[in-house]
Amino acid sequence: MAAPSQKRAQETPGAGPDVRISSTTGKWILLTTVLGSSMALLDSTVVNVALPRIGRDLDAGLTTLQWTVNAYMLTLAGLILLGGSLGDRFGRRRIFVLGVVWFAAASLLCGLAPTDTVLVAARALQGVGGALLTPGSLALIQASFHPDDRARAVGLWSGFGGVGAAVGPFLGGWLVDGPGWRWVFLLNVPVALLCAPIALRHVPESSDERAHQGFDVLGAALGALSLALVTYALIEARSGSVVVAVTAVAGVAAGVAFVFVERRRPDPMLPLDIFASRQFTAVNLVTLCVYAAFGGFFFLTALQLQVVAGYSPLQAGTALLPTTVLMLLFSARSGELAQHIGPRIPLTVGPLLCAAGMLLMLRVGPDASYAVDVLPALLVMGAGMVTLVAPLTATVLASVDTERAGLASGINNAAARAAGLIAVAALPLLAGMGPEAYREADAFNAAFRRAMPLCAAVLVVGAVLAFATVRRPVPGCRRPECLMHGCVTAPPLEPRRAAAAPPSPGAPRPSGAGPAS
């Protein structure tokens, strides 16, 4: 498979690993990858704003709203590592296009879903498509562009993707207020109809001759099964039934089996020896704390603004813009600062700022003023996210050997999504939020006031972990290429194979990690 695809790339003028950004092929590749990744980025930021309307139209309880978010996160987190490997083996363009088409078909099913059960199932299918196209979009850039242009191409890709993430909440609110929540999903269909033909016509195919012959399907299945069972147990724990208890035990057992399988397989999806790096393990623990708090915060805040403060979906979506815009504007500069002072201080101060922002959200109640109550909290929250996200990614990459940096980034990204998944499942339970709480302003407000201190406490734990365990990276480490970042649900995903082709002496060097490399 690899040889024919490489031959085709060589026979196509301007194609292959020597594509320049200024060329027609280069512009088509950027357009294709931005369109594809924007579908997943938009979906991750838009759906929360639509949740109250979804619940009302489908006559669904809070449990369904949790599953509407978590079904997507579950399959995405469980399969994103496998999705990258499939692209390396069977062709990056092929898997990317498959992901785009799959995502669009699942989005269409979401938009037409007659019941909450169909919606949740379709959201799980959406996550499968996201696991194929999210790593695939970056892999296409990595495999196609000339080394001198690669860093700039990744920068443009991540920058435009960040803009898409920033527009997401506003666009979602406008759609929910206008044609209805179903268009939040249906919007993906025309984007896919534009993206897939462009990819097939203008993007060169590529694969990796070194890609492994087998895939850790059993490991991926066990990992996803463990997350699914634990999530189900947490969401349904209010019932206190025997089924919930059995499900929880089965989820833990599946997790143990996953570790056992990954330890014994010669070619595991998640090589456990990567955790031999204390710094890598520590930063992933910080990631779990940080993104668990973020996942719970954005899930509940979108509801709080509408159910309690009385905002329309458009107003709620617009209200959340400051955090994403701040990250988009200043994440690269934050990475440069961490390069000079080391990651320990940013990874300690950032979570503490985010915790302060969440505590300030306690001021948001009935008839809350945006300028006085909401905006200050989101600005502090955004400042904290700016401070920590880029240094966190840089530290993950710097804590492992250069050739494993792409794998390390994928693990960190999946860990963040899994943390958000568990938080959305567990936080309403811990805050005492009943299944109908989002229909009653007073009940939801009381639970929200219990939930925000819990999120803040998890962030403080993350800050303490960072201060106690994170150290300055060693010289010669790999630095992140995705300098601009606007997604609030997971850290940026870095190229899997960037180390295979070092940049030429005149190429711009990415920044954002430890000392000079």
Side-chain angles (χ1 to χ4, degrees):
M1 184 68 206
S5 65
Q6 291 177 349
K7 184 177 180 181
R8 285 196 302 272
Q10 292 170 357
E11 291 173 349
T12 304
D18 295 320
V19 175
R20 308 308 295 250
I21 290 179
S22 58
S23 69
T24 301
T25 300
K27 293 173 183 176
W28 281 121
I29 294 172
L30 277 176
L31 175 62
T32 302
T33 54
V34 168
L35 285 174
S37 61
S38 293
M39 292 169 61
L41 279 172
L42 280 169
D43 204 75
S44 67
T45 56
V46 163
V47 173
N48 283 348
V49 177
L51 290 176
R53 292 288 178 86
I54 291 174
R56 186 170 62 194
D57 286 0
L58 297 181
D59 193 25
L62 181 65
T63 296
T64 296
L65 303 191
Q66 290 173 275
W67 276 115
T68 300
V69 174
N70 275 353
Y72 175 79
M73 295 294 291
L74 172 65
T75 49
L76 179 59
L79 300 176
I80 195 167
L81 289 176
L82 185 62
S85 298
L86 288 172
D88 290 341
R89 170 71 192 284
F90 293 110
R92 299 180 179 102
R93 185 187 66 180
R94 176 181 296 176
I95 297 301
F96 172 79
V97 171
L98 175 62
V100 168
V101 173
W102 188 306
F103 194 92
S107 297
L108 179 62
L109 185 56
C110 288
L112 300 177
T115 66
D116 55 351
T117 302
V118 174
L119 175 62
V120 169
R123 285 285 285 164
L125 292 174
Q126 250 192 331
V128 177
L132 297 175
L133 72 87
T134 299
S137 59
L138 187 54
L140 284 175
I141 292 176
Q142 185 63 28
S144 301
F145 282 98
H146 188 280
D148 289 350
D149 283 1
R150 195 169 294 153
R152 185 181 169 207
V154 172
L156 289 170
W157 172 82
S158 61
F160 283 118
V163 171
V167 171
F170 172 83
L171 178 63
W174 179 78
L175 288 171
V176 174
D177 270 347
W181 64 265
R182 295 181 183 275
W183 281 95
V184 167
F185 302 106
L186 295 176
L187 183 66
N188 291 321
V189 177
V191 176
L193 290 176
L194 179 63
C195 179
I198 292 176
L200 291 172
R201 182 173 178 81
H202 297 287
V203 177
E205 181 62 284
S206 65
S207 59
D208 189 349
E209 291 181 345
R210 298 166 299 178
H212 305 298
Q213 298 301 309
F215 296 101
D216 188 9
V217 177
L218 178 58
L222 285 172
L225 179 63
S226 177
L227 284 174
L229 293 174
V230 171
T231 301
Y232 176 86
L234 289 171
I235 291 177
E236 302 294 337
R238 301 180 191 90
S239 65
S241 66
V242 175
V243 173
V244 171
V246 172
T247 302
V249 173
V252 173
V256 172
F258 170 75
V259 173
F260 179 79
V261 168
E262 297 303 279
R263 185 181 296 274
R264 294 180 63 88
R265 280 187 66 92
D267 187 22
M269 178 184 74
L270 178 61
L272 298 181
D273 64 328
I274 197 171
F275 292 98
S277 166
R278 294 180 61 184
Q279 181 105 320
F280 180 74
T281 302
V283 176
N284 275 283
L285 289 175
V286 174
T287 298
L288 290 173
C289 293
V290 166
Y291 281 94
F294 289 172
F297 173 82
F298 285 105
F299 173 70
L300 293 182
T301 297
L303 291 168
Q304 175 78 357
L305 291 175
Q306 295 178 68
V307 173
V308 177
Y311 285 26
S312 69
L314 178 58
Q315 291 172 324
T318 306
L320 295 171
L321 279 176
T323 53
T324 307
V325 171
L326 285 173
M327 288 181 64
L328 185 61
L329 293 177
F330 299 110
S331 57
R333 295 182 183 179
S334 173
E336 293 173 359
L337 176 64
Q339 176 185 344
H340 294 294
I341 67 174
R344 187 183 188 189
I345 293 176
L347 293 184
T348 301
V349 174
L352 294 178
L353 284 173
C354 291
M358 291 184 184
L359 293 178
L360 286 174
M361 283 297 295
L362 295 174
R363 296 162 51 90
V364 178
D367 301 317
S369 165
Y370 182 72
V372 176
D373 301 316
V374 181
L375 183 59
L378 292 177
L379 288 177
V380 174
M381 176 84 175
M385 296 176 74
V386 166
T387 302
L388 72 90
V389 170
L392 183 147
T393 301
T395 309
V396 165
L397 298 182
S399 61
V400 298
D401 295 336
T402 300
E403 61 269 16
R404 306 187 85 181
L407 172 64
S409 173
I411 293 171
N412 187 245
N413 188 278
R417 296 181 188 279
L421 167 76
I422 297 300
V424 171
L427 192 57
L429 173 67
L430 296 175
M433 196 172 291
E436 301 299 320
Y438 81 97
R439 302 180 190 272
E440 304 169 7
D442 290 341
F444 192 90
N445 190 39
F448 183 81
R449 292 179 176 277
R450 292 189 291 268
M452 287 301 100
L454 292 174
C455 290
V458 173
L459 284 166
V460 171
V461 172
V464 172
L465 275 172
F467 184 79
T469 61
V470 173
R471 298 294 180 265
R472 183 180 287 271
V474 298
C477 63
R478 158 89 175 270
R479 299 183 191 174
E481 295 189 30
C482 298
L483 302 181
M484 302 177 68
H485 182 53
C487 182
V488 297
T489 57
L493 192 63
E494 295 291 324
R496 290 170 56 86
R497 301 288 180 183
S504 66
R509 280 172 45 185
S511 61
S517 56

